[in-house]
Amino acid sequence: MPAHDPQAFLPLKTDALLVLVVLLREDLHGYGIIGEVEERSAGEIQLQTGALYRLLKRLLADGLIREVEPGQVIRGDPRRFYRATRLGEVVVDAEVERLARLVRAVKQAKAGLRPRLA
């Protein structure tokens, strides 16, 4: 059982959700994260380097991601690689369910039904 209630992290901003999703699949460094997020969002989300590192700092502090040891050296530069934690995975699952409920409620409302979020 996670130490934190995943609901406490919701709703996630789109960029945070996508960063967590790509880090569930593989360990990545900053530029790798930027590329994967852009690709998975079909170019809709283009993270700027500074914004990404502020987001990573927050996700680290919240325990949703962690640094992977040891860092790799690429072209002479040390790179920090990140991975989603189990808590990060649980939070992603909770956010996906929250969004699915919201989509169902919108579809019900469009169909003239009284939407239910529960």
Side-chain angles (χ1 to χ4, degrees):
M1 184 77 182
H4 301 285
D5 176 11
Q7 299 299 317
F9 297 97
L10 304 184
L12 287 176
K13 291 186 176 181
T14 304
D15 57 354
L17 176 61
L18 288 171
V19 166
L20 285 168
V21 167
V22 301
L23 292 177
L24 285 172
R25 217 179 97 240
E26 64 181 307
D27 301 344
L28 291 169
H29 57 78
Y31 289 112
I33 294 168
I34 289 171
E36 282 292 316
V37 165
E38 186 172 348
E39 183 177 321
R40 288 185 177 276
S41 69
E44 191 172 318
I45 305 297
Q46 297 179 357
L47 295 171
Q48 300 300 312
T49 306
L52 171 66
Y53 283 100
R54 285 189 297 277
L55 175 58
L56 291 174
K57 184 177 179 180
R58 191 180 83 240
L59 295 173
L60 282 165
D62 288 344
L64 302 180
I65 65 171
R66 67 179 180 88
E67 276 190 52
V68 178
E69 297 293 335
Q72 296 181 2
V73 176
I74 299 176
R75 284 175 253 167
D77 293 324
R79 303 288 170 126
R80 292 181 178 176
F81 281 70
Y82 302 91
R83 171 183 301 160
T85 62
R86 176 69 182 127
L87 177 59
E89 183 176 1
V90 171
V91 169
V92 166
D93 291 343
E95 178 66 353
V96 168
E97 182 54 38
R98 184 191 73 80
L99 291 169
R101 284 192 309 271
L102 184 59
V103 168
R104 283 192 302 272
V106 169
K107 286 181 178 181
Q108 289 172 352
K110 284 183 70 177
L113 302 173
R114 184 171 197 104
R116 295 186 58 199
L117 289 175

